Coordinates of all heavy atoms in Angstrom, one line a residue:
M231 N -4.8 14.6 -21.2 CA -5.6 14.3 -22.4 C -4.6 13.8 -23.5 O -3.5 14.3 -23.6 CB -6.4 15.5 -22.8 CG -7.2 15.3 -24.1 SD -8.3 16.6 -24.6 CE -7.9 18.0 -23.8
K232 N -5.1 12.9 -24.3 CA -4.3 12.4 -25.4 C -5.0 12.6 -26.7 O -6.2 12.6 -26.8 CB -4.0 10.9 -25.2 CG -3.2 10.5 -24.0 CD -2.9 9.1 -23.9 CE -2.1 8.8 -22.7 NZ -1.7 7.4 -22.6
D233 N -4.2 12.8 -27.8 CA -4.7 13.0 -29.1 C -5.0 11.7 -29.8 O -4.8 10.6 -29.1 CB -3.9 13.9 -30.0 CG -2.5 13.4 -30.2 OD1 -2.2 12.2 -29.8 OD2 -1.6 14.1 -30.8
S234 N -5.4 11.7 -31.0 CA -5.7 10.4 -31.7 C -4.5 9.5 -31.9 O -4.7 8.3 -32.1 CB -6.4 10.8 -33.1 OG -5.5 11.5 -33.9
Q235 N -3.3 10.1 -31.9 CA -2.1 9.3 -32.1 C -1.5 8.8 -30.7 O -0.5 8.0 -30.7 CB -1.0 10.1 -32.8 CG -1.5 10.5 -34.1 CD -0.5 11.5 -34.8 OE1 0.4 12.0 -34.1 NE2 -0.7 11.8 -36.0
G236 N -2.1 9.1 -29.6 CA -1.7 8.6 -28.3 C -0.7 9.5 -27.6 O -0.2 9.2 -26.6
N237 N -0.4 10.7 -28.2 CA 0.5 11.6 -27.6 C -0.1 12.5 -26.5 O -1.3 12.9 -26.7 CB 1.1 12.6 -28.6 CG 1.9 11.8 -29.7 OD1 2.5 10.8 -29.4 ND2 1.9 12.3 -30.9
V238 N 0.6 12.8 -25.4 CA 0.0 13.6 -24.3 C 0.1 15.0 -24.8 O 1.1 15.5 -25.2 CB 0.8 13.4 -23.0 CG1 0.3 14.3 -22.0 CG2 0.8 12.0 -22.6
V239 N -1.1 15.7 -24.8 CA -1.2 17.1 -25.2 C -1.5 18.1 -24.1 O -1.8 19.2 -24.4 CB -2.2 17.2 -26.4 CG1 -1.8 16.5 -27.6 CG2 -3.6 16.7 -25.9
E240 N -1.4 17.6 -22.9 CA -1.7 18.5 -21.7 C -0.5 19.5 -21.6 O 0.7 19.1 -21.8 CB -1.8 17.7 -20.5 CG -3.0 16.8 -20.4 CD -4.3 17.6 -20.3 OE1 -4.3 18.7 -19.7 OE2 -5.3 17.1 -20.7
L241 N -0.8 20.7 -21.2 CA 0.3 21.7 -20.9 C 0.9 21.4 -19.5 O 2.1 21.7 -19.3 CB -0.3 23.1 -21.0 CG -0.7 23.5 -22.4 CD1 -1.3 24.9 -22.3 CD2 0.4 23.5 -23.4
Y242 N 0.1 20.9 -18.6 CA 0.6 20.7 -17.2 C 0.1 19.3 -16.8 O -1.1 19.0 -16.8 CB 0.0 21.8 -16.3 CG 0.3 21.5 -14.9 CD1 1.6 21.7 -14.4 CD2 -0.7 21.1 -14.0 CE1 1.9 21.5 -13.1 CE2 -0.4 20.9 -12.6 CZ 0.9 21.1 -12.2 OH 1.2 20.8 -10.9
V243 N 1.1 18.5 -16.5 CA 0.8 17.2 -15.9 C 1.3 17.1 -14.5 O 2.6 17.2 -14.3 CB 1.5 16.1 -16.8 CG1 1.2 14.7 -16.2 CG2 1.0 16.1 -18.2
P244 N 0.5 17.1 -13.5 CA 0.9 17.1 -12.1 C 1.7 15.9 -11.7 O 1.4 14.8 -12.2 CB -0.4 17.3 -11.3 CG -1.4 16.7 -12.2 CD -1.0 17.0 -13.6
R245 N 2.6 16.1 -10.8 CA 3.4 14.9 -10.3 C 2.7 14.4 -9.0 O 2.0 15.1 -8.4 CB 4.8 15.4 -9.9 CG 5.6 15.8 -11.1 CD 7.0 16.3 -10.7 NE 6.9 17.5 -9.9 CZ 7.8 18.0 -9.1 NH1 8.9 17.4 -9.0 NH2 7.6 19.1 -8.4
K246 N 3.1 13.2 -8.6 CA 2.6 12.6 -7.4 C 3.8 12.4 -6.5 O 4.9 12.0 -7.0 CB 1.9 11.3 -7.6 CG 0.5 11.5 -8.3 CD -0.2 10.2 -8.5 CE -0.7 9.7 -7.2 NZ -1.5 8.5 -7.3
C247 N 3.6 12.5 -5.2 CA 4.6 12.3 -4.2 C 4.9 10.8 -4.2 O 4.0 10.0 -4.2 CB 4.2 12.7 -2.9 SG 5.4 12.4 -1.6
S248 N 6.2 10.4 -4.3 CA 6.6 9.0 -4.3 C 6.3 8.4 -2.9 O 6.1 7.1 -2.8 CB 8.0 8.9 -4.6 OG 8.3 9.4 -5.9
W249 N 6.2 9.1 -1.9 CA 6.1 8.6 -0.5 C 4.6 8.5 -0.1 O 4.1 7.5 0.4 CB 6.9 9.4 0.5 CG 6.9 8.9 1.9 CD1 6.4 9.6 2.9 CD2 7.4 7.7 2.3 NE1 6.6 8.8 4.1 CE2 7.2 7.7 3.7 CE3 8.1 6.6 1.7 CZ2 7.6 6.6 4.5 CZ3 8.5 5.6 2.5 CH2 8.3 5.6 3.9
T250 N 3.8 9.6 -0.3 CA 2.5 9.7 0.1 C 1.4 9.5 -1.0 O 0.2 9.4 -0.7 CB 2.2 11.1 0.8 OG1 2.4 12.1 -0.2 CG2 3.1 11.3 2.0
N251 N 1.8 9.5 -2.2 CA 1.0 9.3 -3.4 C 0.0 10.5 -3.5 O -1.0 10.4 -4.2 CB 0.2 8.0 -3.4 CG 1.1 6.9 -3.7 OD1 2.1 7.0 -4.5 ND2 0.8 5.7 -3.1
K252 N 0.3 11.6 -2.9 CA -0.6 12.8 -3.0 C -0.1 13.6 -4.2 O 1.1 13.6 -4.6 CB -0.5 13.7 -1.8 CG -1.1 13.1 -0.6 CD -1.1 14.0 0.6 CE -1.7 13.4 1.8 NZ -1.7 14.4 3.0
L253 N -1.0 14.3 -4.9 CA -0.6 15.2 -6.0 C 0.2 16.4 -5.5 O 0.0 16.9 -4.4 CB -1.9 15.8 -6.7 CG -2.6 14.8 -7.6 CD1 -3.8 15.5 -8.1 CD2 -1.8 14.3 -8.7
I254 N 1.2 16.7 -6.3 CA 2.1 17.9 -6.0 C 1.5 19.0 -6.8 O 1.6 19.0 -8.0 CB 3.5 17.6 -6.3 CG1 4.1 16.4 -5.4 CG2 4.4 18.8 -6.1 CD1 5.5 16.0 -5.7
T255 N 0.9 20.0 -6.2 CA 0.3 21.1 -6.9 C 1.3 22.0 -7.4 O 2.5 22.0 -7.0 CB -0.7 21.8 -6.0 OG1 0.1 22.4 -4.9 CG2 -1.7 20.9 -5.4
A256 N 0.9 22.9 -8.3 CA 1.8 23.9 -8.9 C 2.3 24.9 -7.9 O 3.4 25.5 -8.1 CB 1.1 24.6 -10.1
K257 N 1.5 25.1 -6.8 CA 1.9 26.1 -5.8 C 2.8 25.5 -4.7 O 3.2 26.2 -3.8 CB 0.6 26.7 -5.2 CG -0.2 27.4 -6.1 CD 0.5 28.7 -6.6 CE -0.4 29.5 -7.5 NZ 0.3 30.8 -7.8
D258 N 3.1 24.2 -4.7 CA 4.0 23.6 -3.7 C 5.4 23.9 -4.1 O 6.1 23.1 -4.8 CB 3.7 22.1 -3.6 CG 4.4 21.5 -2.4 OD1 5.2 22.2 -1.7 OD2 4.2 20.3 -2.2
H259 N 5.9 25.0 -3.7 CA 7.3 25.4 -4.0 C 8.3 24.8 -3.2 O 9.5 25.0 -3.4 CB 7.4 26.9 -4.0 CG 6.5 27.7 -4.9 ND1 6.6 27.5 -6.3 CD2 5.4 28.5 -4.7 CE1 5.7 28.2 -6.9 NE2 4.9 28.8 -5.9
R260 N 7.9 24.0 -2.2 CA 8.9 23.3 -1.3 C 9.1 21.9 -1.8 O 10.0 21.2 -1.2 CB 8.3 23.3 0.1 CG 8.1 24.6 0.7 CD 7.6 24.5 2.1 NE 6.3 23.9 2.1 CZ 5.6 23.5 3.2 NH1 6.2 23.6 4.4 NH2 4.5 22.9 3.1
S261 N 8.4 21.4 -2.8 CA 8.6 20.1 -3.3 C 9.8 19.9 -4.1 O 10.3 20.9 -4.7 CB 7.4 19.6 -4.1 OG 7.3 20.4 -5.3
V262 N 10.4 18.7 -4.2 CA 11.6 18.4 -4.9 C 11.4 17.1 -5.7 O 10.6 16.3 -5.3 CB 12.8 18.3 -4.0 CG1 13.2 19.6 -3.4 CG2 12.7 17.2 -3.0
Q263 N 12.2 17.0 -6.8 CA 12.3 15.8 -7.5 C 13.8 15.4 -7.5 O 14.6 16.2 -7.9 CB 11.8 15.9 -8.9 CG 11.9 14.6 -9.7 CD 11.2 14.6 -11.0 OE1 10.2 15.2 -11.2 NE2 11.8 13.9 -12.0
I264 N 14.1 14.2 -7.1 CA 15.5 13.8 -7.0 C 15.7 12.6 -7.9 O 14.9 11.6 -7.9 CB 15.8 13.4 -5.5 CG1 15.7 14.6 -4.6 CG2 17.3 12.8 -5.4 CD1 15.8 14.3 -3.1
N265 N 16.7 12.7 -8.8 CA 17.0 11.6 -9.7 C 18.2 10.9 -9.2 O 19.3 11.5 -8.9 CB 17.3 12.2 -11.1 CG 16.1 12.8 -11.7 OD1 15.0 12.5 -11.4 ND2 16.3 13.8 -12.5
I266 N 18.2 9.6 -9.0 CA 19.3 8.8 -8.5 C 19.8 7.9 -9.7 O 19.0 7.1 -10.3 CB 18.8 7.9 -7.4 CG1 18.4 8.7 -6.2 CG2 20.0 7.0 -6.9 CD1 17.9 8.0 -5.0
G267 N 21.0 8.1 -10.1 CA 21.6 7.4 -11.2 C 21.9 5.9 -10.9 O 22.2 5.5 -9.8
H268 N 21.7 5.1 -11.9 CA 22.0 3.6 -11.8 C 23.4 3.4 -12.2 O 24.0 4.0 -13.2 CB 21.1 2.8 -12.7 CG 19.6 3.0 -12.4 ND1 18.6 2.6 -13.2 CD2 19.0 3.6 -11.3 CE1 17.5 2.9 -12.6 NE2 17.7 3.5 -11.5
L269 N 24.1 2.5 -11.5 CA 25.5 2.1 -11.8 C 25.6 0.7 -12.2 O 24.8 -0.2 -11.8 CB 26.3 2.3 -10.5 CG 26.2 3.7 -9.8 CD1 27.0 3.7 -8.5 CD2 26.7 4.8 -10.8
D270 N 26.7 0.4 -12.9 CA 26.9 -1.0 -13.3 C 27.8 -1.7 -12.2 O 28.0 -1.1 -11.2 CB 27.5 -1.2 -14.7 CG 28.8 -0.5 -14.8 OD1 29.4 0.0 -13.8 OD2 29.4 -0.4 -16.0
E271 N 28.3 -2.9 -12.5 CA 29.1 -3.6 -11.5 C 30.4 -2.9 -11.1 O 30.8 -3.1 -10.0 CB 29.4 -5.1 -12.0 CG 28.2 -5.9 -12.4 CD 27.7 -5.6 -13.8 OE1 28.5 -5.2 -14.7 OE2 26.4 -5.7 -14.0
S272 N 30.9 -2.2 -12.1 CA 32.2 -1.5 -11.8 C 32.0 -0.1 -11.2 O 33.0 0.6 -11.0 CB 33.1 -1.5 -13.1 OG 32.4 -0.7 -14.1
G273 N 30.8 0.3 -11.0 CA 30.5 1.6 -10.4 C 30.4 2.7 -11.4 O 30.4 3.9 -11.0
L274 N 30.3 2.4 -12.7 CA 30.1 3.5 -13.7 C 28.6 3.7 -14.0 O 27.8 2.8 -14.0 CB 30.8 3.1 -15.0 CG 32.3 2.9 -14.9 CD1 32.9 2.3 -16.2 CD2 33.0 4.2 -14.5
Y275 N 28.3 5.0 -14.2 CA 27.0 5.4 -14.5 C 26.5 4.8 -15.8 O 27.2 4.9 -16.8 CB 26.9 6.9 -14.5 CG 25.6 7.5 -14.8 CD1 24.5 7.3 -14.0 CD2 25.4 8.4 -15.9 CE1 23.2 7.8 -14.3 CE2 24.2 8.9 -16.2 CZ 23.1 8.6 -15.4 OH 21.8 9.2 -15.7
T276 N 25.3 4.2 -15.8 CA 24.8 3.6 -17.0 C 24.0 4.5 -17.9 O 23.6 4.1 -19.0 CB 23.9 2.4 -16.6 OG1 22.8 2.9 -15.9 CG2 24.7 1.4 -15.8
G277 N 23.7 5.7 -17.5 CA 22.9 6.6 -18.3 C 21.4 6.6 -17.9 O 20.6 7.3 -18.5
S278 N 21.0 5.7 -17.0 CA 19.6 5.6 -16.6 C 19.5 6.1 -15.2 O 20.5 6.1 -14.4 CB 19.0 4.2 -16.8 OG 19.8 3.3 -16.0
F279 N 18.3 6.4 -14.8 CA 18.1 6.9 -13.4 C 16.7 6.6 -12.9 O 15.8 6.3 -13.7 CB 18.4 8.4 -13.3 CG 17.5 9.3 -14.2 CD1 16.3 9.7 -13.7 CD2 17.9 9.6 -15.4 CE1 15.4 10.5 -14.5 CE2 17.1 10.4 -16.3 CZ 15.9 10.8 -15.8
S280 N 16.5 6.7 -11.6 CA 15.1 6.6 -11.0 C 14.8 8.0 -10.4 O 15.6 8.6 -9.7 CB 15.1 5.6 -9.9 OG 15.4 4.3 -10.4
A281 N 13.6 8.4 -10.7 CA 13.1 9.7 -10.2 C 12.2 9.5 -9.0 O 11.3 8.7 -9.1 CB 12.4 10.5 -11.3
F282 N 12.4 10.3 -8.0 CA 11.5 10.3 -6.8 C 11.1 11.8 -6.5 O 11.9 12.7 -6.5 CB 12.3 9.8 -5.6 CG 12.7 8.3 -5.8 CD1 14.0 8.1 -6.1 CD2 11.8 7.3 -5.6 CE1 14.5 6.8 -6.2 CE2 12.3 6.0 -5.8 CZ 13.6 5.7 -6.1
A283 N 9.8 12.0 -6.4 CA 9.3 13.3 -6.0 C 8.7 13.3 -4.6 O 8.1 12.3 -4.2 CB 8.2 13.7 -7.0
L284 N 9.1 14.4 -3.9 CA 8.6 14.5 -2.5 C 7.9 15.8 -2.3 O 8.4 16.9 -2.8 CB 9.8 14.4 -1.5 CG 10.6 13.1 -1.5 CD1 11.8 13.2 -0.7 CD2 9.7 11.9 -1.1
T285 N 6.8 15.8 -1.6 CA 6.0 17.1 -1.3 C 6.7 17.9 -0.3 O 7.6 17.4 0.5 CB 4.6 16.8 -0.9 OG1 4.7 16.0 0.4 CG2 3.8 16.0 -1.9
G286 N 6.4 19.2 -0.3 CA 6.9 20.1 0.8 C 6.5 19.7 2.2 O 7.2 19.9 3.1
Q287 N 5.3 19.0 2.3 CA 4.8 18.6 3.6 C 5.7 17.5 4.2 O 6.1 17.5 5.3 CB 3.4 18.1 3.5 CG 2.8 17.5 4.8 CD 1.5 16.9 4.6 OE1 1.1 16.6 3.4 NE2 0.8 16.5 5.7
V288 N 6.2 16.6 3.3 CA 7.1 15.5 3.8 C 8.4 16.1 4.2 O 9.0 15.7 5.2 CB 7.3 14.4 2.7 CG1 8.3 13.4 3.1 CG2 5.9 13.7 2.4
R289 N 8.9 17.1 3.4 CA 10.2 17.7 3.7 C 10.1 18.5 5.0 O 11.0 18.5 5.8 CB 10.6 18.6 2.6 CG 10.9 17.7 1.3 CD 11.4 18.6 0.2 NE 12.6 19.2 0.6 CZ 13.0 20.5 0.2 NH1 12.2 21.2 -0.4 NH2 14.2 20.9 0.6
A290 N 8.9 19.2 5.2 CA 8.8 20.1 6.4 C 8.7 19.2 7.7 O 9.2 19.7 8.7 CB 7.5 20.9 6.3
K291 N 8.2 18.0 7.6 CA 8.1 17.2 8.8 C 9.4 16.5 9.1 O 9.6 15.9 10.1 CB 7.0 16.1 8.6 CG 5.6 16.6 8.6 CD 4.5 15.6 8.3 CE 4.8 14.2 8.5 NZ 3.7 13.3 8.2
G292 N 10.4 16.6 8.2 CA 11.7 16.0 8.4 C 11.7 14.5 8.0 O 12.6 13.8 8.4
D293 N 10.8 14.1 7.2 CA 10.7 12.7 6.9 C 11.3 12.4 5.5 O 11.3 11.2 5.0 CB 9.2 12.2 6.8 CG 8.6 12.2 8.2 OD1 9.4 12.1 9.2 OD2 7.4 12.2 8.3
A294 N 11.8 13.4 4.8 CA 12.3 13.2 3.5 C 13.5 12.2 3.4 O 13.5 11.4 2.5 CB 12.7 14.5 2.9
D295 N 14.4 12.3 4.3 CA 15.6 11.5 4.2 C 15.3 10.0 4.4 O 15.7 9.1 3.7 CB 16.7 11.9 5.2 CG 16.2 12.0 6.6 OD1 15.0 12.0 6.8 OD2 17.1 12.1 7.5
S296 N 14.4 9.7 5.4 CA 14.0 8.3 5.7 C 13.1 7.8 4.6 O 13.2 6.6 4.2 CB 13.4 8.2 7.0 OG 12.2 8.9 7.1
A297 N 12.3 8.7 4.0 CA 11.4 8.2 2.9 C 12.2 7.9 1.7 O 12.0 6.9 1.0 CB 10.4 9.4 2.6
L298 N 13.2 8.8 1.4 CA 14.0 8.5 0.2 C 14.8 7.2 0.4 O 15.0 6.5 -0.6 CB 14.9 9.7 -0.1 CG 15.7 9.7 -1.4 CD1 14.7 9.7 -2.5 CD2 16.6 10.9 -1.4
D299 N 15.3 7.0 1.6 CA 16.1 5.8 1.8 C 15.2 4.5 1.6 O 15.7 3.6 1.0 CB 16.7 5.8 3.3 CG 17.5 4.7 3.6 OD1 18.3 4.3 2.7 OD2 17.4 4.1 4.7
I300 N 14.0 4.5 2.1 CA 13.2 3.4 2.0 C 12.7 3.2 0.5 O 12.7 2.1 0.0 CB 11.9 3.5 2.9 CG1 12.4 3.4 4.4 CG2 10.9 2.5 2.6 CD1 11.3 3.8 5.4
L301 N 12.4 4.3 -0.1 CA 12.0 4.2 -1.6 C 13.1 3.7 -2.4 O 12.9 2.8 -3.3 CB 11.6 5.6 -2.1 CG 10.2 6.1 -1.6 CD1 10.0 7.6 -1.9 CD2 9.1 5.3 -2.1
W302 N 14.4 4.2 -2.2 CA 15.5 3.7 -3.0 C 15.8 2.2 -2.7 O 16.2 1.5 -3.6 CB 16.7 4.6 -2.8 CG 17.9 4.1 -3.5 CD1 19.1 3.7 -3.0 CD2 18.0 3.8 -4.9 NE1 19.9 3.2 -3.9 CE2 19.3 3.3 -5.1 CE3 17.2 4.0 -6.0 CZ2 19.8 2.9 -6.4 CZ3 17.6 3.6 -7.3 CH2 18.9 3.1 -7.5
T303 N 15.7 1.8 -1.4 CA 15.9 0.4 -1.1 C 15.0 -0.5 -1.8 O 15.4 -1.5 -2.4 CB 15.8 0.2 0.4 OG1 16.7 1.1 1.1 CG2 16.1 -1.2 0.8
K304 N 13.7 -0.1 -1.9 CA 12.7 -0.9 -2.6 C 13.0 -0.9 -4.1 O 12.9 -2.0 -4.8 CB 11.3 -0.4 -2.4 CG 10.8 -0.6 -1.0 CD 9.4 -0.1 -0.9 CE 8.9 -0.2 0.5 NZ 7.5 0.4 0.7
K305 N 13.3 0.2 -4.7 CA 13.6 0.3 -6.1 C 14.9 -0.4 -6.5 O 14.9 -1.1 -7.5 CB 13.8 1.8 -6.5 CG 13.9 2.1 -8.0 CD 12.7 1.7 -8.7 CE 12.7 2.2 -10.1 NZ 11.5 2.0 -10.8
R306 N 15.9 -0.4 -5.6 CA 17.2 -1.1 -5.9 C 16.9 -2.6 -5.9 O 17.5 -3.3 -6.7 CB 18.2 -0.7 -4.8 CG 19.6 -1.2 -5.2 CD 20.6 -0.7 -4.2 NE 20.2 -0.9 -2.9 CZ 20.9 -0.4 -1.8 NH1 22.0 0.3 -2.0 NH2 20.5 -0.7 -0.6
A307 N 16.0 -3.1 -5.0 CA 15.7 -4.5 -5.0 C 15.0 -4.9 -6.3 O 15.2 -6.0 -6.9 CB 14.8 -4.8 -3.8
E308 N 14.1 -4.0 -6.8 CA 13.4 -4.3 -8.1 C 14.4 -4.3 -9.3 O 14.3 -5.2 -10.2 CB 12.4 -3.2 -8.4 CG 11.2 -3.2 -7.5 CD 10.3 -2.0 -7.8 OE1 10.5 -1.3 -8.8 OE2 9.4 -1.8 -7.0
L309 N 15.4 -3.4 -9.2 CA 16.4 -3.4 -10.3 C 17.5 -4.5 -10.2 O 18.1 -4.7 -11.2 CB 17.1 -2.0 -10.3 CG 16.2 -0.8 -10.6 CD1 16.9 0.5 -10.4 CD2 15.7 -0.9 -12.0
G310 N 17.7 -5.0 -9.0 CA 18.7 -6.0 -8.9 C 20.1 -5.4 -8.7 O 21.1 -6.1 -9.0
Q311 N 20.2 -4.2 -8.1 CA 21.5 -3.6 -7.9 C 22.0 -3.9 -6.5 O 21.3 -4.0 -5.6 CB 21.4 -2.1 -8.1 CG 21.4 -1.7 -9.6 CD 21.6 -0.2 -9.8 OE1 21.4 0.6 -8.9 NE2 21.9 0.1 -11.0

């Protein structure tokens, strides 16, 4: 919910899995969010990052590493890195 100024006033905003697009509930204690830093041409960190959230179900099936690899490859192509 947003107030009249456009600020988010919700106490809890659920995350979505970057791989399956399912909501990550508050009780999914196996879920993770991984931030991957962006680098410039010389390999130095630029201060920005891309966040990827994965549900516990994806991690339990053993698909997290391949999912993260595919997601980062797509994101890297968008960023031009």
Side-chain angles (χ1 to χ4, degrees):
M231 179 174 13
K232 295 183 180 182
D233 61 5
S234 60
Q235 299 171 351
N237 298 328
V238 177
V239 294
E240 293 288 333
L241 295 177
Y242 175 70
V243 179
R245 295 178 294 161
K246 287 181 78 175
C247 178
S248 300
W249 185 244
T250 61
N251 288 328
K252 292 183 180 180
L253 284 178
I254 299 175
T255 63
K257 295 292 183 179
D258 188 358
H259 299 295
R260 299 179 299 169
S261 64
V262 294
Q263 178 172 328
I264 299 174
N265 297 330
I266 299 178
H268 299 171
L269 307 176
D270 61 7
E271 301 83 32
S272 60
L274 296 175
Y275 178 60
T276 62
S278 59
F279 60 88
S280 295
F282 299 101
L284 298 171
T285 61
Q287 178 186 11
V288 172
R289 295 182 64 218
K291 289 177 18 182
D293 293 337
D295 56 343
S296 61
L298 190 61
D299 183 42
I300 293 169
L301 288 168
W302 174 241
T303 302
K304 289 180 183 178
K305 185 67 169 186
R306 189 171 53 185
E308 289 176 12
L309 296 171
Q311 284 191 341

